[in-house]
Amino acid sequence: MIRFCEVSKSYGSLPALRSVSGAVAAGQVVVVCGPSGASKSTLIRTVNRLEPIQSGRILIDGRDIHERSWSVNDLRSKVGFVFQSFGLFQHLDALANVALALVHVRRMPRREAEAAAMSQLERLGLADKAHHMPSQLSGGQQQRVAIARALVMKPTVLLLDEPTSALDPEMVGEVLHTIEQLAGAGLTMMCVTHEMGFARRVADRIWLMEAGELKVDADAASFFAGEAGPRAREFLNNQ
Amino acid sequence: MMEIIDKYWLLLLIGQYPNGPLGGLAMTIIIAFGALAASLPLATLLALARTSGIPWLERPVLWLVTFVRGLPFLMFVFWVYFGVPALFGISLDGVTTMVVALIIYESAYISEIVRAGIEAIPRGQIEAANSLGLKYGVRTFCIVLPQALFNMMPSLITQFASIVKETSIGYIISAQELTFAATQVNNLEVTKPLEIFAILAIAYYLLCGGVVLVARMLERRVLRRRRQAAQTARPLTRAVAA
């Protein structure tokens, strides 16, 4: 599980996260939503230390992610991250993108790593795209390769930062379907999204952020039933 | 012109060799490619230092690059030719001087090309590499440099062609390269400088053209490999899929 304890972060004098506290239980899917500039992405980027924090603690399975004995690279190999803009390495084909961290972080022999990467691509229906370069894939396929790249490391937590917002409307469905499957499989996830229809289908809990503060932390059913307070209702009405 | 080529082609090609030192076009190629082979890795190290974000590593490299780029190449050659014996008590021959001067001078210039290439890599690529837990070395040599080197190929080609042309300065310090050989021919013939230096110009043009041609072929080959279609599936794909 992930626990945020009074987490604060600022960019220079500009506060980004203001004393955020909350918990994501194992196997739970938390959808982080809120208006633009609410620091939703900043929040999930703190979990794998892509963004440093100024105060507070973040724990994964009870262990502080800033613990000296926990190297940042080891932490990151256990926390999968999927970016809005995919982040595929443009000079490597899909298979090499997925196998790369297995070879260099997990120290797996290349053939074994490629076989593992191939089965991950197969699971996501991308076996026939294994030797395509990222530029030869559609946006939806690129995002699914990025998800495969994160999953092949067998992460304990998967973080998704607006995984569909860079996609054409017709590509969104395939990515959302993949994420739904992962949620069904019991993977702990935090997903930043503006797709409230998708949030309704996959979320166990909804976190509503505003101006760097966690304004609403409610279970998905009561959030969508309008029982999570006036701010949640107002947010839903504006969608 | 053909008469001069017919009479002096061997001198222009290999200098006095085997009766004297190797020279001519062969030595020009050796100096240029020796300097190129050494300056590219050195320039990459300088560029990595410049982009490291470590002030005590960045600043000395910045000073060095600014200093070297602020000098005319000819003056730099004189510094190496006269300065090294004065400072270290070792005398360098013309060819060694040219190679050393070119390596230092071109490393400074090429490091700026490499730095620009590294800085042009989208931030998302670095973040994606970080998020996978890749260490600095893997991130640099497997993600950043392969993309940066490919993107900066046109600038590198221009710089490599310029190295070939800069070898002609070696004539001033008696490095026995192509211009030196052409001057020897001119001294022997006396009355045909126009033809002799026209041959020299054509030789440099062909050599630089050759460098550009080979580099472009390499660039196209890399591009073709990157655009390899899915139809050319490797045996592993079939084996795993089966």
Side-chain angles (χ1 to χ4, degrees):
Chain A
M1 68 129 54
I2 313 167
R3 182 177 290 279
F4 295 86
C5 308
E6 306 277 319
V7 174
S8 294
K9 175 187 172 57
S10 56
Y11 294 105
S13 60
L14 192 74
L17 294 174
R18 300 164 196 255
S19 197
V20 174
S21 293
V24 183
Q28 206 172 47
V29 178
V30 168
V31 166
V32 186
C33 57
S36 296
S39 298
K40 307 179 292 292
S41 298
T42 303
L43 179 70
I44 67 164
R45 285 164 65 90
T46 60
V47 179
N48 72 345
R49 293 175 59 181
L50 279 178
E51 296 288 350
I53 58 171
Q54 270 80 46
S55 66
R57 296 169 74 204
I58 300 170
L59 300 106
I60 294 178
D61 294 334
R63 195 174 172 194
D64 193 328
I65 63 163
H66 296 96
E67 214 171 77
R68 274 186 177 276
S69 60
W70 201 356
S71 81
V72 66
N73 290 328
D74 186 37
L75 163 75
R76 285 169 177 167
S77 70
K78 291 183 172 68
V79 179
F81 200 102
V82 176
F83 294 88
Q84 180 181 348
S85 54
F86 326 131
L88 293 183
F89 306 126
Q90 296 301 313
H91 62 302
L92 302 176
D93 65 15
L95 186 71
N97 260 284
V98 178
L100 186 77
L102 289 175
V103 174
H104 294 290
V105 179
R106 293 268 191 267
R107 303 276 170 211
M108 205 182 260
R110 188 169 294 275
R111 287 189 69 83
E112 225 176 280
E114 288 193 343
M118 193 64 200
S119 17
Q120 189 61 57
L121 286 171
E122 275 182 322
R123 274 196 284 278
L124 297 188
L126 291 161
D128 60 330
K129 307 291 179 198
H131 297 296
H132 278 61
M133 302 306 282
S135 59
Q136 295 173 310
L137 300 172
S138 71
Q141 288 165 343
Q142 286 190 57
Q143 193 59 293
R144 280 155 61 211
V145 172
I147 293 171
R149 186 174 68 178
L151 290 177
V152 81
M153 298 294 281
K154 302 201 187 320
T156 49
V157 175
L158 183 64
L159 308 167
L160 301 112
D161 186 8
E162 301 197 37
T164 58
S165 58
L167 301 177
D168 294 335
E170 63 264 34
M171 309 273 177
V172 171
E174 59 180 281
V175 174
L176 293 186
H177 177 67
T178 302
I179 298 170
E180 267 181 60
Q181 282 180 321
L182 297 175
L187 181 65
T188 308
M189 287 197 281
M190 286 186 79
C191 179
V192 173
T193 187
H194 291 284
E195 300 268 344
M196 295 318 288
F198 162 69
R200 194 188 287 265
R201 290 211 299 272
V202 300
D204 296 308
R205 291 196 77 78
I206 304 286
W207 287 11
L208 176 61
M209 301 269 309
E210 196 172 61
E213 286 183 59
L214 181 55
K215 290 285 188 189
V216 177
D217 175 4
D219 70 82
S222 61
F223 183 88
F224 288 108
E227 296 161 2
R231 181 65 193 99
R233 275 197 298 278
E234 189 191 345
F235 178 76
L236 282 172
N237 288 338
N238 290 336
Q239 291 300 302
Chain B
M1 193 185 279
M2 290 313 291
E3 185 194 327
I4 295 168
I5 293 173
D6 203 37
K7 199 166 162 191
Y8 296 107
W9 69 272
L10 202 58
L11 180 67
L12 290 168
L13 200 64
I14 56 171
Q16 311 280 338
Y17 193 80
N19 303 317
L22 184 70
L25 186 64
M27 185 50 81
T28 290
I29 292 172
I30 289 171
I31 294 172
F33 281 86
L36 189 151
S39 58
L40 186 58
L42 197 60
T44 305
L45 289 178
L46 292 176
L48 288 174
R50 279 291 305 276
T51 54
S52 64
I54 305 168
W56 60 263
L57 209 56
E58 272 181 37
R59 279 195 203 123
V61 174
L62 172 66
W63 295 332
L64 177 77
V65 170
T66 311
F67 174 71
V68 172
R69 293 176 79 206
L71 292 176
F73 182 61
L74 180 59
M75 193 207 266
F76 197 74
V77 171
F78 285 151
W79 269 50
V80 176
Y81 194 64
F82 298 113
V84 169
L87 289 172
F88 303 104
I90 43 167
S91 69
L92 299 177
D93 61 55
V95 170
T96 313
T97 300
M98 276 310 292
V99 173
V100 171
L102 274 170
I103 289 171
I104 301 170
Y105 198 75
E106 289 303 326
S107 293
Y109 273 89
I110 296 172
S111 77
E112 285 299 278
I113 297 173
V114 180
R115 183 179 65 86
I118 290 172
E119 285 176 351
I121 298 294
R123 193 176 150 72
Q125 294 281 293
I126 315 288
E127 283 199 331
N130 285 340
S131 76
L132 289 170
L134 299 178
K135 289 184 178 161
Y136 175 80
V138 179
R139 199 179 69 206
T140 302
F141 291 100
C142 296
I143 306 298
V144 176
L145 285 179
Q147 296 188 71
L149 285 167
F150 179 75
N151 292 342
M152 65 205 182
M153 258 189 193
S155 305
L156 280 179
I157 293 167
T158 310
Q159 201 59 35
F160 290 164
S162 123
I163 292 179
V164 171
K165 288 181 278 185
E166 277 163 358
T167 58
S168 63
I169 301 263
Y171 153 74
I172 307 280
I173 53 166
S174 303
Q176 303 213 358
E177 41 69 65
L178 183 59
T179 306
F180 185 86
T183 315
Q184 279 182 317
V185 173
N186 187 44
N187 291 342
L188 291 170
E189 288 292 321
V190 184
T191 57
K192 295 172 182 165
L194 197 66
E195 289 92 328
I196 291 164
F197 289 108
I199 292 168
L200 184 64
I202 291 166
Y204 276 115
Y205 178 79
L206 292 176
L207 190 55
C208 291
V211 168
V212 171
L213 206 68
V214 169
R216 290 235 189 279
M217 273 165 58
L218 194 70
E219 192 181 354
R220 273 200 294 271
R221 200 173 149 185
V222 174
L223 197 65
R224 211 169 31 241
R225 260 183 54 194
R226 288 185 177 191
R227 286 181 177 162
Q228 207 173 29
Q231 287 76 18
T232 58
R234 288 181 287 189
L236 175 72
T237 321
R238 294 191 206 108
V240 175

